Amino acid sequence: MEYKVIYTKGADKSIAKFSKSNPKAYKKIFEFIKELHEHPRTGTGHPEPLLEGNNSTYSRCITKKDRLVYNIYDESVTVLVLTAEGHYNDK
């Protein structure tokens, strides 16, 4: 089963920032996204469910400061990428 990966507008913008500011992290994000298609709950970046989430919100470490945060919808076989900046709710 392959998941469809979609992005919020904010996620698109935050991922695009990495292309110039941190190319290594940008490459890492796209490795994560490849994995999200096949197995969104396991893989690199230490995927973990968020404590305050609803068991469908996960994060993976991009850098010490930044996380890829996404929701998994098994019923529609979709992953919605929420953001790639910040550490959970840090500003």
Side-chain angles (χ1 to χ4, degrees):
M1 167 169 49
E2 184 167 317
Y3 284 79
K4 178 180 178 182
V5 178
I6 56 176
Y7 309 85
T8 63
K9 289 180 184 180
D12 273 339
K13 288 180 183 180
S14 61
I15 291 169
K17 287 180 187 179
F18 281 100
S19 68
K20 292 182 182 177
S21 67
N22 191 339
K24 185 176 178 181
Y26 184 73
K27 183 177 177 182
K28 192 174 188 180
I29 291 168
F30 279 94
E31 291 300 318
F32 292 166
I33 290 169
K34 286 180 192 176
E35 291 182 3
L36 292 180
H37 285 283
E38 296 298 321
H39 44 84
R41 290 179 176 85
T42 61
T44 58
H46 307 289
E48 62 181 0
L50 296 184
L51 296 176
E52 295 180 16
N54 52 9
N55 268 353
S56 67
T57 304
Y58 276 70
S59 74
R60 293 179 185 229
C61 300
I62 301 169
T63 66
K64 287 185 178 183
K65 179 185 163 214
D66 298 303
R67 304 288 182 271
L68 184 70
V69 180
Y70 54 94
N71 286 337
I72 303 168
Y73 301 101
D74 290 319
E75 62 281 349
S76 61
V77 193
T78 304
V79 174
L80 174 63
V81 178
L82 303 171
T83 187
E85 288 184 297
H87 186 270
Y88 309 115
N89 290 328
D90 291 352
K91 302 255 182 209

